[in-house]
Amino acid sequence: NPAIAPVGTNFATIFQVDRARLRTVDLEVIRSFQPGKWKIDGSLGARHAHIGVDSDFLAFGVFTTGNFVNLTLQNGFNFNGAGGTGALVMRRQIGDSPLSLFGGFRGSYLGGRTDSFGRAAGAVASSPNAPLVGAATVTRANAAAELDIFEHQAGVQLEFALRRVPANAVFRVAFDYQ
């Protein structure tokens, strides 16, 4: 059928993946103050954190018959560490309603170890020349590292006492930035 355009011999396959993981565990002591319709929570404690990030970029393409490019780029790092954490959160009740506005911040300083790597490999074939091929990998294992984490939070909270259990239910909508 002459209305269908030919596909041709040029094509490219590209694959890209980026991954990030963050896990923290906190153990804290909290002290609360309640002057009037304000509630202020201060905390001090310990935090353990794991952060992992890695990226993969893989490409293969044919730009004319017999001529191609094959490329791999990868990098990543992991951090594991522990240290101190502290926070201050303030809430202000809105009138006599169960709603409150709140805001707060947390800071953590952790010491630990990190592993990282960077890798590049590729081949280019262009007839009639010989293919160009190369690869390099750089790694760093078990290096001393420090991590500072700062968190800011603001939002609205709904809190009310449960009838059959001596506890409160709390629902929050917040903007949280780390």
Side-chain angles (χ1 to χ4, degrees):
N1 184 346
I4 299 174
V7 173
T9 58
N10 299 340
F11 70 89
T13 301
I14 297 174
F15 173 78
Q16 181 175 343
V17 175
D18 296 308
R19 292 172 291 273
R21 299 162 304 283
L22 170 63
R23 292 187 296 271
T24 62
V25 176
D26 294 348
L27 180 61
E28 298 177 292
V29 174
I30 299 172
R31 176 73 172 132
S32 296
F33 305 95
Q34 197 157 357
K37 292 188 178 197
W38 287 90
K39 184 166 184 186
I40 302 167
D41 295 325
S43 68
L44 287 174
R47 171 174 273 188
H48 179 271
H50 169 79
I51 298 173
V53 176
D54 57 89
S55 297
D56 295 325
F57 178 83
L58 311 169
F60 177 78
V62 172
F63 48 93
T64 57
T65 303
N67 300 311
F68 68 88
V69 173
N70 188 9
L71 177 65
T72 300
L73 301 172
Q74 299 172 311
N75 64 56
F77 81 94
N78 286 301
F79 171 87
N80 278 300
T85 188
L88 183 65
V89 178
M90 296 186 292
R91 293 193 308 260
R92 171 76 163 105
Q93 185 178 2
I94 301 172
D96 291 328
S97 74
L99 292 173
S100 298
L101 295 175
F102 71 91
F105 65 91
R106 170 182 299 283
S108 303
Y109 175 77
L110 312 176
R113 309 302 282 181
T114 188
D115 300 320
S116 60
F117 75 95
R119 180 176 302 125
V124 176
S126 180
S127 294
N129 300 322
L132 298 172
V133 178
T137 300
V138 177
T139 62
R140 187 177 73 177
N142 203 30
E146 297 172 353
L147 174 63
D148 298 317
I149 303 174
F150 296 101
E151 306 169 45
H152 305 278
Q153 189 178 70
V156 178
Q157 173 176 306
L158 171 66
E159 182 175 1
F160 56 90
L162 299 175
R163 290 188 176 155
R164 299 175 194 245
V165 180
N168 287 355
V170 177
F171 299 94
R172 283 185 166 185
V173 175
F175 169 77
D176 196 347
Y177 178 79
Q178 283 190 334

